[in-house]
Amino acid sequence: MQNWTPRDLAQQLNTAAHAVQLLDVREPWEYQIVHLENSQLVPLSQLTNYGLHELSKDLPIVVICHHGIRSAHACYLLERLGFQAINLTGGIDRWAREIDPSIPIY
């Protein structure tokens, strides 16, 4: 599993946002509080039952959660299914602290 820091992801989004998919595996109530633009919500508990058909194996998937634990689990699952998955270390919480302090921290 590959890991990216929020700075790595910010650089990717600034230079070639179209070259990655953003998958948020938090719960809907968390996603409503804050999420990255153009991210797709598929809670970890529903990942194998929903949403896999909407993901492309042609582009890497950056997986996002609150602190990086659920996203790491999702990355392992996605890799076993043939996807290229990248874990956002520190999750949306670290993103808020390092990249965009205007977004809510919960």
Side-chain angles (χ1 to χ4, degrees):
M1 173 181 60
Q2 188 176 5
N3 290 286
W4 280 4
T5 66
R7 292 192 195 287
D8 296 330
L9 177 57
Q11 181 179 2
Q12 177 69 43
L13 295 177
N14 286 332
T15 59
H18 63 280
V20 295
Q21 302 170 84
L22 300 178
L23 176 65
D24 195 314
V25 295
R26 295 175 299 148
E27 294 299 317
W29 68 268
E30 294 174 288
Y31 191 83
Q32 287 177 351
I33 294 170
V34 62
H35 61 272
L36 297 184
E37 185 177 344
N38 298 320
S39 63
Q40 177 181 351
L41 174 65
V42 179
L44 180 59
S45 62
Q46 299 174 15
L47 188 57
T48 57
N49 298 325
Y50 170 81
L52 291 178
H53 64 280
E54 296 178 23
L55 300 171
S56 171
K57 290 186 178 178
D58 297 330
L59 293 175
I61 303 168
V62 179
V63 187
I64 304 160
C65 71
H66 191 195
H67 290 114
I69 306 301
R70 285 175 281 180
S71 55
H73 289 289
C75 284
Y76 287 122
L77 172 65
L78 290 168
E79 285 182 341
R80 285 195 314 258
L81 296 171
F83 293 92
Q84 180 186 353
I86 302 165
N87 184 38
L88 180 64
T89 58
I92 196 78
D93 184 78
R94 186 172 171 190
W95 177 273
R97 295 175 194 279
E98 294 181 5
I99 303 300
D100 188 356
S102 71
I103 64 173
I105 294 175
Y106 66 97

